[in-house]
Amino acid sequence: MFINGKWQGSTHHFAVHNPATGEKIAMVPDGGEMEIKQAINAAHTAFPGWAATTNHKRAQILYQAYELMLKHRRQLAELMTSEQGKPLRAAETEVNYGADFLLWFAEEAKRIYGETIPSSRKNQRFIVQYQPVGVVGAITPWNYPVSMITRKIAPALAAGCTVVLKPAEATPLCAVRLFELFEKAGVPSGVINLVTASNPEPVGKELCTNSQVRKLTFTGSTRVGRQLATLAAPQLKRVSMELGGHAPFIVFADANPEHAAKGATMVKFLNTGQACICPNRIFVHKGILLSFLDTFRQRISSMRVGNGKDKGVSIGPLVNRKALDKVNAQVEDAVSKGAALLCGGKRLEDRELANGFFYAPTLLSDITPDMLIYREETFGPVAAVIPFDDGDDVIAMANDTEYGLAAYVYTENLGRAMKTFEQLNFGMIGINDINPTSASAPFGGIKQSGLGREGARAGLMEYLDTKLAGIALP
Ligand code: ADP
Protein backbone atom coordinates (compact mmCIF):
# COMPACT_ATOMS: atom_id res chain seq x y z
CA MET A 1 0.00 0.00 0.00
CA PHE A 2 1.13 3.55 -0.61
CA ILE A 3 0.06 6.01 2.07
CA ASN A 4 1.36 9.54 2.55
CA GLY A 5 4.28 8.93 0.20
CA LYS A 6 5.44 5.73 1.91
CA TRP A 7 5.15 2.10 0.88
CA GLN A 8 3.52 0.21 3.66
CA GLY A 9 2.93 -3.47 4.43
CA SER A 10 0.39 -5.14 6.63
CA THR A 11 0.23 -8.03 9.05
CA HIS A 12 -2.38 -9.65 6.77
CA HIS A 13 -1.98 -10.49 3.12
CA PHE A 14 -4.10 -11.88 0.30
CA ALA A 15 -3.15 -13.86 -2.78
CA VAL A 16 -3.33 -12.79 -6.41
CA HIS A 17 -3.83 -15.59 -8.96
CA ASN A 18 -3.20 -15.96 -12.66
CA PRO A 19 -6.66 -16.72 -14.15
CA ALA A 20 -5.07 -18.65 -17.05
CA THR A 21 -3.19 -21.13 -14.87
CA GLY A 22 -4.65 -20.82 -11.39
CA GLU A 23 -1.12 -20.15 -10.08
CA LYS A 24 -0.58 -17.85 -7.15
CA ILE A 25 1.58 -15.02 -8.44
CA ALA A 26 1.85 -12.65 -5.46
CA MET A 27 0.79 -11.84 -1.94
CA VAL A 28 -0.49 -8.31 -1.37
CA PRO A 29 -1.06 -6.36 1.89
CA ASP A 30 -4.64 -6.63 3.04
CA GLY A 31 -5.79 -3.20 4.11
CA GLY A 32 -8.84 -2.37 6.17
CA GLU A 33 -10.47 0.42 8.08
CA MET A 34 -7.28 1.61 9.76
CA GLU A 35 -5.34 1.96 6.51
CA ILE A 36 -8.18 3.62 4.61
CA LYS A 37 -8.55 6.18 7.39
CA GLN A 38 -4.80 6.85 7.33
CA ALA A 39 -4.95 7.27 3.57
CA ILE A 40 -7.92 9.65 3.71
CA ASN A 41 -6.14 11.72 6.39
CA ALA A 42 -3.01 11.88 4.25
CA ALA A 43 -5.03 12.98 1.21
CA HIS A 44 -6.89 15.55 3.31
CA THR A 45 -3.65 17.02 4.68
CA ALA A 46 -2.04 17.11 1.25
CA PHE A 47 -5.04 18.71 -0.46
CA PRO A 48 -4.47 22.45 0.23
CA GLY A 49 -0.85 22.28 -0.95
CA TRP A 50 -1.68 20.34 -4.10
CA ALA A 51 -4.67 22.52 -4.93
CA ALA A 52 -2.38 25.56 -4.67
CA THR A 53 0.25 24.28 -7.12
CA THR A 54 0.08 25.89 -10.53
CA ASN A 55 -1.86 24.08 -13.20
CA HIS A 56 1.34 24.06 -15.25
CA LYS A 57 3.21 22.22 -12.50
CA ARG A 58 0.46 19.60 -12.23
CA ALA A 59 0.49 19.23 -16.01
CA GLN A 60 4.25 18.69 -15.93
CA ILE A 61 3.95 15.86 -13.39
CA LEU A 62 1.15 14.19 -15.37
CA TYR A 63 3.23 14.43 -18.51
CA GLN A 64 6.14 12.85 -16.69
CA ALA A 65 3.88 9.99 -15.57
CA TYR A 66 2.71 9.58 -19.18
CA GLU A 67 6.29 9.24 -20.43
CA LEU A 68 7.14 6.75 -17.69
CA MET A 69 4.08 4.67 -18.48
CA LEU A 70 5.04 4.42 -22.13
CA LYS A 71 8.61 3.61 -21.19
CA HIS A 72 7.40 0.71 -19.05
CA ARG A 73 4.63 -0.33 -21.41
CA ARG A 74 5.85 -3.86 -22.02
CA GLN A 75 6.45 -4.58 -18.36
CA LEU A 76 3.04 -3.26 -17.35
CA ALA A 77 1.39 -5.26 -20.12
CA GLU A 78 3.09 -8.49 -19.01
CA LEU A 79 2.00 -7.89 -15.45
CA MET A 80 -1.56 -7.27 -16.63
CA THR A 81 -1.62 -10.47 -18.67
CA SER A 82 -0.47 -12.47 -15.68
CA GLU A 83 -2.99 -11.11 -13.20
CA GLN A 84 -5.96 -10.31 -15.46
CA GLY A 85 -5.49 -12.74 -18.36
CA LYS A 86 -5.92 -10.61 -21.48
CA PRO A 87 -3.57 -11.33 -24.41
CA LEU A 88 -0.32 -9.37 -24.36
CA ARG A 89 -1.18 -7.30 -27.41
CA ALA A 90 -4.50 -6.27 -25.88
CA ALA A 91 -2.70 -5.48 -22.63
CA GLU A 92 -0.28 -3.19 -24.49
CA THR A 93 -3.22 -1.50 -26.20
CA GLU A 94 -4.74 -0.90 -22.79
CA VAL A 95 -1.50 0.57 -21.43
CA ASN A 96 -1.44 2.99 -24.38
CA TYR A 97 -5.11 3.88 -23.81
CA GLY A 98 -4.44 4.34 -20.09
CA ALA A 99 -1.43 6.57 -20.81
CA ASP A 100 -3.54 8.68 -23.18
CA PHE A 101 -5.56 9.92 -20.20
CA LEU A 102 -2.39 11.20 -18.54
CA LEU A 103 -1.42 13.07 -21.69
CA TRP A 104 -4.91 14.44 -22.39
CA PHE A 105 -5.42 15.70 -18.84
CA ALA A 106 -1.84 17.05 -18.63
CA GLU A 107 -2.80 19.25 -21.56
CA GLU A 108 -6.29 20.01 -20.25
CA ALA A 109 -4.93 20.96 -16.79
CA LYS A 110 -3.63 24.20 -18.29
CA ARG A 111 -7.03 25.06 -19.74
CA ILE A 112 -9.21 25.14 -16.64
CA TYR A 113 -10.40 28.57 -17.70
CA GLY A 114 -12.96 30.57 -15.80
CA GLU A 115 -15.65 32.76 -17.35
CA THR A 116 -16.95 36.30 -17.12
CA ILE A 117 -20.70 36.54 -17.56
CA PRO A 118 -22.65 39.69 -18.45
CA SER A 119 -25.14 40.72 -15.79
CA SER A 120 -28.58 42.21 -16.40
CA ARG A 121 -27.66 44.86 -13.82
CA LYS A 122 -25.55 47.74 -15.04
CA ASN A 123 -23.17 47.93 -12.12
CA GLN A 124 -22.63 44.24 -11.60
CA ARG A 125 -20.02 41.80 -12.94
CA PHE A 126 -20.03 38.01 -12.69
CA ILE A 127 -16.89 35.90 -12.60
CA VAL A 128 -16.83 32.10 -12.49
CA GLN A 129 -13.86 30.05 -11.38
CA TYR A 130 -13.48 26.29 -11.14
CA GLN A 131 -11.92 24.81 -8.03
CA PRO A 132 -10.97 21.23 -7.12
CA VAL A 133 -13.68 19.42 -5.14
CA GLY A 134 -11.22 18.03 -2.57
CA VAL A 135 -10.30 14.49 -1.56
CA VAL A 136 -11.50 11.88 -4.08
CA GLY A 137 -12.19 8.24 -3.24
CA ALA A 138 -11.73 5.96 -6.25
CA ILE A 139 -12.75 2.33 -6.64
CA THR A 140 -11.74 0.48 -9.79
CA PRO A 141 -12.56 -2.88 -11.42
CA TRP A 142 -10.39 -5.79 -12.57
CA ASN A 143 -11.32 -5.89 -16.27
CA TYR A 144 -9.21 -2.84 -17.26
CA PRO A 145 -6.79 -2.69 -14.32
CA VAL A 146 -4.60 0.11 -15.71
CA SER A 147 -6.80 2.42 -17.77
CA MET A 148 -9.65 2.57 -15.25
CA ILE A 149 -7.13 3.96 -12.77
CA THR A 150 -5.58 6.62 -14.99
CA ARG A 151 -9.03 7.62 -16.24
CA LYS A 152 -9.81 8.68 -12.66
CA ILE A 153 -6.44 9.78 -11.29
CA ALA A 154 -5.41 11.91 -14.28
CA PRO A 155 -8.41 14.29 -14.22
CA ALA A 156 -8.39 14.35 -10.41
CA LEU A 157 -4.74 15.44 -10.33
CA ALA A 158 -5.23 17.88 -13.19
CA ALA A 159 -8.07 19.53 -11.28
CA GLY A 160 -5.99 19.77 -8.08
CA CYS A 161 -7.72 17.00 -6.12
CA THR A 162 -5.98 14.40 -3.98
CA VAL A 163 -6.91 10.73 -4.26
CA VAL A 164 -7.36 7.53 -2.28
CA LEU A 165 -7.62 4.50 -4.56
CA LYS A 166 -8.86 1.01 -3.82
CA PRO A 167 -8.22 -1.25 -6.82
CA ALA A 168 -10.09 -4.53 -7.43
CA GLU A 169 -8.91 -7.42 -5.29
CA ALA A 170 -8.25 -9.56 -8.38
CA THR A 171 -5.83 -7.06 -9.95
CA PRO A 172 -3.93 -5.02 -7.34
CA LEU A 173 -0.50 -5.57 -8.93
CA CYS A 174 -1.08 -3.21 -11.88
CA ALA A 175 -2.19 -0.54 -9.38
CA VAL A 176 0.99 -1.01 -7.32
CA ARG A 177 3.17 -0.72 -10.43
CA LEU A 178 1.31 2.39 -11.60
CA PHE A 179 1.75 4.04 -8.22
CA GLU A 180 5.50 3.35 -8.37
CA LEU A 181 5.53 5.22 -11.67
CA PHE A 182 3.45 8.11 -10.27
CA GLU A 183 5.88 8.37 -7.36
CA LYS A 184 8.81 8.46 -9.77
CA ALA A 185 7.02 11.13 -11.82
CA GLY A 186 7.14 13.43 -8.79
CA VAL A 187 3.60 13.33 -7.38
CA PRO A 188 4.08 14.79 -3.86
CA SER A 189 3.49 12.74 -0.69
CA GLY A 190 -0.14 12.26 0.29
CA VAL A 191 -1.52 13.41 -3.07
CA ILE A 192 -2.26 9.87 -4.23
CA ASN A 193 -2.73 6.96 -1.84
CA LEU A 194 -3.29 3.29 -2.53
CA VAL A 195 -5.04 0.84 -0.23
CA THR A 196 -5.22 -2.78 -1.40
CA ALA A 197 -7.85 -4.95 0.29
CA SER A 198 -9.37 -8.39 -0.08
CA ASN A 199 -12.67 -7.25 1.40
CA PRO A 200 -13.91 -4.13 -0.39
CA GLU A 201 -16.84 -3.49 1.89
CA PRO A 202 -15.34 -1.68 4.93
CA VAL A 203 -12.97 0.28 2.71
CA GLY A 204 -15.79 1.29 0.36
CA LYS A 205 -18.01 2.24 3.27
CA GLU A 206 -15.36 4.52 4.74
CA LEU A 207 -14.79 6.23 1.38
CA CYS A 208 -18.54 6.87 1.13
CA THR A 209 -19.19 8.02 4.67
CA ASN A 210 -16.00 9.83 5.75
CA SER A 211 -16.79 13.53 5.47
CA GLN A 212 -13.22 14.37 4.46
CA VAL A 213 -13.85 12.61 1.14
CA ARG A 214 -15.76 15.01 -1.10
CA LYS A 215 -16.25 12.82 -4.14
CA LEU A 216 -16.51 9.17 -4.98
CA THR A 217 -15.67 7.83 -8.42
CA PHE A 218 -16.55 4.21 -9.08
CA THR A 219 -16.36 1.77 -11.98
CA GLY A 220 -17.98 -1.62 -11.46
CA SER A 221 -21.31 -3.38 -11.31
CA THR A 222 -24.64 -1.58 -11.14
CA ARG A 223 -25.45 -3.51 -7.96
CA VAL A 224 -22.41 -2.21 -6.06
CA GLY A 225 -22.62 1.26 -7.62
CA ARG A 226 -26.15 1.64 -6.33
CA GLN A 227 -25.06 0.57 -2.82
CA LEU A 228 -22.19 3.05 -2.79
CA ALA A 229 -24.32 5.92 -4.10
CA THR A 230 -26.83 5.18 -1.35
CA LEU A 231 -24.10 5.24 1.30
CA ALA A 232 -22.75 8.54 -0.05
CA ALA A 233 -26.18 10.19 -0.32
CA PRO A 234 -26.63 11.47 3.28
CA GLN A 235 -23.59 13.72 2.82
CA LEU A 236 -24.68 14.69 -0.70
CA LYS A 237 -21.24 13.55 -1.76
CA ARG A 238 -20.53 13.95 -5.45
CA VAL A 239 -20.44 10.62 -7.23
CA SER A 240 -19.41 9.43 -10.69
CA MET A 241 -20.63 5.96 -11.53
CA GLU A 242 -19.52 3.89 -14.52
CA LEU A 243 -21.69 0.80 -14.21
CA GLY A 244 -22.94 -2.14 -16.23
CA GLY A 245 -24.30 -2.20 -19.75
CA HIS A 246 -26.38 -4.29 -22.11
CA ALA A 247 -25.39 -2.88 -25.46
CA PRO A 248 -27.57 -3.44 -28.51
CA PHE A 249 -25.78 -3.89 -31.84
CA ILE A 250 -28.20 -3.20 -34.70
CA VAL A 251 -27.42 -4.33 -38.24
CA PHE A 252 -29.93 -2.81 -40.68
CA ALA A 253 -30.79 -4.40 -44.03
CA ASP A 254 -28.71 -1.85 -45.95
CA ALA A 255 -25.50 -2.61 -44.01
CA ASN A 256 -22.66 -4.67 -45.38
CA PRO A 257 -23.15 -7.93 -43.44
CA GLU A 258 -19.51 -9.06 -43.65
CA HIS A 259 -18.24 -5.72 -42.43
CA ALA A 260 -20.81 -5.67 -39.61
CA ALA A 261 -19.93 -9.24 -38.60
CA LYS A 262 -16.26 -8.31 -38.45
CA GLY A 263 -17.06 -5.35 -36.20
CA ALA A 264 -19.34 -7.48 -34.03
CA THR A 265 -16.58 -10.04 -33.54
CA MET A 266 -14.06 -7.40 -32.50
CA VAL A 267 -16.24 -5.61 -29.99
CA LYS A 268 -18.18 -8.61 -28.63
CA PHE A 269 -15.03 -10.56 -27.81
CA LEU A 270 -13.04 -7.59 -26.56
CA ASN A 271 -11.34 -8.69 -23.34
CA THR A 272 -13.09 -12.09 -23.65
CA GLY A 273 -16.40 -10.25 -23.55
CA GLN A 274 -15.54 -8.71 -20.18
CA ALA A 275 -16.13 -5.05 -21.03
CA CYS A 276 -19.16 -2.97 -20.09
CA ILE A 277 -19.44 -1.79 -23.71
CA CYS A 278 -19.56 -5.30 -25.23
CA PRO A 279 -22.75 -5.91 -27.25
CA ASN A 280 -25.16 -8.17 -25.40
CA ARG A 281 -27.97 -8.23 -27.98
CA ILE A 282 -27.07 -8.31 -31.66
CA PHE A 283 -30.15 -7.41 -33.75
CA VAL A 284 -29.74 -8.45 -37.39
CA HIS A 285 -32.23 -7.81 -40.19
CA LYS A 286 -33.55 -11.07 -41.61
CA GLY A 287 -32.69 -10.00 -45.16
CA ILE A 288 -28.96 -10.27 -44.44
CA LEU A 289 -29.04 -12.70 -41.51
CA LEU A 290 -27.54 -15.70 -43.29
CA SER A 291 -24.50 -13.93 -44.67
CA PHE A 292 -23.99 -12.11 -41.36
CA LEU A 293 -24.11 -15.35 -39.36
CA ASP A 294 -21.87 -17.12 -41.83
CA THR A 295 -19.08 -14.55 -41.49
CA PHE A 296 -19.65 -14.15 -37.76
CA ARG A 297 -19.42 -17.90 -37.12
CA GLN A 298 -16.26 -18.26 -39.22
CA ARG A 299 -14.55 -15.42 -37.42
CA ILE A 300 -15.60 -16.62 -33.97
CA SER A 301 -14.53 -20.20 -34.63
CA SER A 302 -11.10 -19.13 -35.79
CA MET A 303 -10.22 -17.21 -32.62
CA ARG A 304 -7.52 -18.92 -30.60
CA VAL A 305 -8.21 -19.38 -26.91
CA GLY A 306 -5.38 -19.72 -24.42
CA ASN A 307 -2.91 -18.14 -22.05
CA GLY A 308 -2.56 -14.47 -23.02
CA LYS A 309 1.21 -14.70 -22.98
CA ASP A 310 1.21 -17.14 -25.92
CA LYS A 311 1.52 -15.82 -29.48
CA GLY A 312 -1.64 -15.82 -31.60
CA VAL A 313 -4.03 -16.04 -28.65
CA SER A 314 -6.91 -13.58 -28.90
CA ILE A 315 -9.23 -14.97 -26.21
CA GLY A 316 -7.94 -15.24 -22.65
CA PRO A 317 -9.60 -16.75 -19.59
CA LEU A 318 -12.55 -15.39 -17.69
CA VAL A 319 -11.68 -13.77 -14.39
CA ASN A 320 -12.91 -16.49 -12.05
CA ARG A 321 -15.14 -19.51 -11.50
CA LYS A 322 -18.21 -17.36 -10.82
CA ALA A 323 -17.89 -15.66 -14.22
CA LEU A 324 -17.57 -19.03 -15.91
CA ASP A 325 -20.67 -20.36 -14.15
CA LYS A 326 -22.70 -17.29 -15.14
CA VAL A 327 -21.79 -17.64 -18.81
CA ASN A 328 -22.56 -21.34 -18.74
CA ALA A 329 -25.93 -20.74 -17.09
CA GLN A 330 -26.93 -18.13 -19.69
CA VAL A 331 -26.00 -20.42 -22.58
CA GLU A 332 -27.81 -23.44 -21.10
CA ASP A 333 -30.87 -21.33 -20.39
CA ALA A 334 -30.95 -19.95 -23.95
CA VAL A 335 -30.50 -23.35 -25.58
CA SER A 336 -33.17 -24.91 -23.37
CA LYS A 337 -35.59 -22.18 -24.51
CA GLY A 338 -34.93 -22.74 -28.20
CA ALA A 339 -31.84 -20.71 -29.14
CA ALA A 340 -29.68 -22.10 -31.95
CA LEU A 341 -26.12 -22.88 -30.84
CA LEU A 342 -23.92 -22.18 -33.88
CA CYS A 343 -20.51 -22.64 -32.26
CA GLY A 344 -18.83 -22.97 -28.87
CA GLY A 345 -21.11 -23.44 -25.90
CA LYS A 346 -18.80 -25.16 -23.46
CA ARG A 347 -15.98 -24.74 -21.00
CA LEU A 348 -12.52 -25.53 -22.42
CA GLU A 349 -10.49 -27.78 -20.14
CA ASP A 350 -8.03 -29.57 -22.38
CA ARG A 351 -4.40 -29.89 -21.27
CA GLU A 352 -2.90 -26.50 -20.47
CA LEU A 353 -6.34 -24.89 -20.16
CA ALA A 354 -7.37 -27.25 -17.37
CA ASN A 355 -6.56 -24.94 -14.45
CA GLY A 356 -7.82 -21.72 -16.03
CA PHE A 357 -11.32 -20.31 -16.52
CA PHE A 358 -11.66 -20.74 -20.26
CA TYR A 359 -14.92 -20.73 -22.20
CA ALA A 360 -15.22 -21.41 -25.93
CA PRO A 361 -16.21 -18.34 -28.00
CA THR A 362 -19.89 -18.95 -28.57
CA LEU A 363 -22.50 -17.91 -31.10
CA LEU A 364 -26.21 -18.18 -30.34
CA SER A 365 -29.01 -17.14 -32.68
CA ASP A 366 -32.81 -16.91 -32.40
CA ILE A 367 -32.55 -15.29 -28.98
CA THR A 368 -35.91 -14.24 -27.51
CA PRO A 369 -36.90 -11.88 -24.65
CA ASP A 370 -37.67 -14.73 -22.23
CA MET A 371 -34.03 -15.81 -22.13
CA LEU A 372 -31.66 -14.65 -19.36
CA ILE A 373 -29.11 -13.39 -21.87
CA TYR A 374 -31.68 -10.95 -23.30
CA ARG A 375 -31.69 -8.98 -20.02
CA GLU A 376 -28.66 -9.95 -17.91
CA GLU A 377 -25.20 -8.63 -18.65
CA THR A 378 -23.12 -11.60 -19.90
CA PHE A 379 -19.53 -10.41 -19.35
CA GLY A 380 -18.21 -13.35 -21.30
CA PRO A 381 -17.49 -14.63 -24.83
CA VAL A 382 -21.05 -15.32 -25.95
CA ALA A 383 -22.64 -13.53 -28.91
CA ALA A 384 -26.45 -13.47 -28.86
CA VAL A 385 -28.19 -12.75 -32.18
CA ILE A 386 -31.81 -11.63 -32.47
CA PRO A 387 -33.23 -11.61 -36.00
CA PHE A 388 -35.70 -8.81 -36.84
CA ASP A 389 -37.64 -7.72 -39.89
CA ASP A 390 -39.31 -4.59 -41.25
CA GLY A 391 -42.40 -5.04 -39.11
CA ASP A 392 -40.41 -4.92 -35.86
CA ASP A 393 -39.65 -1.71 -34.00
CA VAL A 394 -35.99 -2.52 -33.50
CA ILE A 395 -35.27 0.79 -31.77
CA ALA A 396 -37.88 0.05 -29.11
CA MET A 397 -36.43 -3.45 -28.72
CA ALA A 398 -32.92 -2.02 -28.33
CA ASN A 399 -34.11 0.53 -25.76
CA ASP A 400 -35.93 -2.14 -23.78
CA THR A 401 -33.29 -2.50 -21.05
CA GLU A 402 -32.58 -0.89 -17.70
CA TYR A 403 -29.07 -0.13 -18.95
CA GLY A 404 -27.95 2.75 -21.14
CA LEU A 405 -24.20 2.63 -21.76
CA ALA A 406 -23.09 1.79 -25.31
CA ALA A 407 -25.01 0.94 -28.50
CA TYR A 408 -23.88 0.18 -32.05
CA VAL A 409 -25.59 0.73 -35.39
CA TYR A 410 -24.60 -0.52 -38.82
CA THR A 411 -26.24 1.16 -41.80
CA GLU A 412 -25.16 2.82 -45.04
CA ASN A 413 -28.06 5.27 -44.87
CA LEU A 414 -27.05 8.60 -43.34
CA GLY A 415 -30.60 9.63 -42.48
CA ARG A 416 -31.28 6.35 -40.72
CA ALA A 417 -27.96 6.58 -38.85
CA MET A 418 -28.81 10.05 -37.59
CA LYS A 419 -32.35 9.15 -36.60
CA THR A 420 -31.20 6.00 -34.80
CA PHE A 421 -28.50 7.96 -33.00
CA GLU A 422 -31.12 10.37 -31.71
CA GLN A 423 -33.64 7.68 -30.71
CA LEU A 424 -31.38 5.24 -28.87
CA ASN A 425 -31.31 5.81 -25.10
CA PHE A 426 -27.62 5.17 -24.53
CA GLY A 427 -24.64 7.35 -23.61
CA MET A 428 -22.34 6.27 -26.42
CA ILE A 429 -23.40 5.21 -29.91
CA GLY A 430 -20.99 3.70 -32.43
CA ILE A 431 -22.24 4.26 -35.99
CA ASN A 432 -20.44 1.78 -38.23
CA ASP A 433 -17.85 2.14 -35.49
CA ILE A 434 -16.94 -0.33 -32.80
CA ASN A 435 -14.67 1.90 -30.78
CA PRO A 436 -16.42 5.11 -29.80
CA THR A 437 -13.94 5.60 -26.94
CA SER A 438 -10.90 7.84 -26.50
CA ALA A 439 -9.33 10.00 -23.79
CA SER A 440 -10.77 13.00 -25.64
CA ALA A 441 -14.35 11.65 -25.83
CA PRO A 442 -16.88 11.55 -22.96
CA PHE A 443 -17.39 7.97 -21.74
CA GLY A 444 -20.44 7.12 -19.67
CA GLY A 445 -24.01 5.97 -19.53
CA ILE A 446 -27.56 6.88 -18.63
CA LYS A 447 -30.29 4.99 -16.75
CA GLN A 448 -28.84 2.15 -14.62
CA SER A 449 -25.46 2.46 -16.39
CA GLY A 450 -24.35 5.36 -14.30
CA LEU A 451 -23.84 9.02 -13.63
CA GLY A 452 -21.24 11.39 -14.97
CA ARG A 453 -18.61 11.06 -17.68
CA GLU A 454 -14.95 10.10 -17.86
CA GLY A 455 -12.45 11.45 -20.34
CA ALA A 456 -12.83 14.67 -22.32
CA ARG A 457 -13.61 18.08 -20.86
CA ALA A 458 -16.67 16.55 -19.17
CA GLY A 459 -14.40 14.13 -17.30
CA LEU A 460 -12.44 17.03 -15.84
CA MET A 461 -15.55 18.92 -14.76
CA GLU A 462 -16.47 15.95 -12.54
CA TYR A 463 -13.58 16.98 -10.24
CA LEU A 464 -14.29 20.71 -10.18
CA ASP A 465 -16.71 22.87 -8.22
CA THR A 466 -18.13 25.97 -9.85
CA LYS A 467 -17.56 29.14 -7.85
CA LEU A 468 -19.26 32.40 -8.71
CA ALA A 469 -18.30 35.94 -7.71
CA GLY A 470 -20.93 38.66 -8.10
CA ILE A 471 -19.20 42.02 -7.94
CA ALA A 472 -21.08 45.29 -7.36
CA LEU A 473 -19.21 48.23 -8.87
CA PRO A 474 -19.29 51.61 -7.10
P1 ADP B 1 -17.57 -7.03 -10.78
O1 ADP B 1 -18.88 -7.73 -10.58
O2 ADP B 1 -17.27 -6.62 -12.14
O3 ADP B 1 -16.41 -7.66 -10.05
P2 ADP B 1 -17.87 -5.18 -8.65
O4 ADP B 1 -18.82 -4.04 -8.69
O5 ADP B 1 -18.13 -6.29 -7.71
O6 ADP B 1 -17.80 -5.64 -10.14
O7 ADP B 1 -16.40 -4.66 -8.39
C1 ADP B 1 -15.88 -3.44 -8.85
C2 ADP B 1 -15.07 -2.80 -7.74
O8 ADP B 1 -15.96 -2.58 -6.66
C3 ADP B 1 -13.94 -3.65 -7.19
O9 ADP B 1 -12.86 -2.79 -6.83
C4 ADP B 1 -14.54 -4.26 -5.96
O10 ADP B 1 -13.59 -4.57 -4.97
C5 ADP B 1 -15.43 -3.12 -5.48
N1 ADP B 1 -16.52 -3.53 -4.60
C6 ADP B 1 -17.27 -4.64 -4.65
N2 ADP B 1 -18.17 -4.67 -3.64
C7 ADP B 1 -17.99 -3.53 -2.93
C8 ADP B 1 -18.58 -2.96 -1.76
N3 ADP B 1 -19.58 -3.54 -1.14
N4 ADP B 1 -18.12 -1.77 -1.34
C9 ADP B 1 -17.12 -1.15 -1.99
N5 ADP B 1 -16.52 -1.62 -3.07
C10 ADP B 1 -16.93 -2.80 -3.55
Side-chain angles (χ1 to χ4, degrees), residues 99-147:
D100 277 350
F101 287 96
L102 297 172
L103 178 61
W104 166 268
F105 285 109
E107 291 161 343
E108 209 63 5
K110 297 178 231 166
R111 300 187 187 106
I112 305 179
Y113 304 139
E115 284 174 288
T116 62
I117 299 169
S119 168
S120 59
R121 299 177 202 102
K122 194 164 167 236
N123 295 327
Q124 187 180 44
R125 301 291 180 270
F126 286 130
I127 298 176
V128 169
Q129 274 191 13
Y130 297 98
Q131 298 190 345
V133 297
V135 176
V136 172
I139 299 179
T140 50
W142 49 265
N143 61 342
Y144 287 88
V146 162
S147 57

Side-chain angles (χ1 to χ4, degrees), residues 139-140 142 166-169 200-201 204 218-221 224 227-228:
I139 299 179
T140 50
W142 49 265
K166 190 213 78 66
E169 51 275 27
E201 227 176 295
F218 173 78
T219 300
S221 61
V224 174
Q227 282 171 10
L228 297 177

Side-chain angles (χ1 to χ4, degrees), residues 206-227:
E206 188 65 25
L207 288 174
C208 291
T209 56
N210 187 314
S211 60
Q212 289 184 340
V213 178
R214 292 312 312 146
K215 178 191 169 73
L216 182 78
T217 170
F218 173 78
T219 300
S221 61
T222 294
R223 181 182 64 83
V224 174
R226 218 182 266 135
Q227 282 171 10

Side-chain angles (χ1 to χ4, degrees), residues 432-443:
N432 301 320
D433 182 14
I434 49 150
N435 189 13
T437 61
S438 152
S440 57
F443 186 106

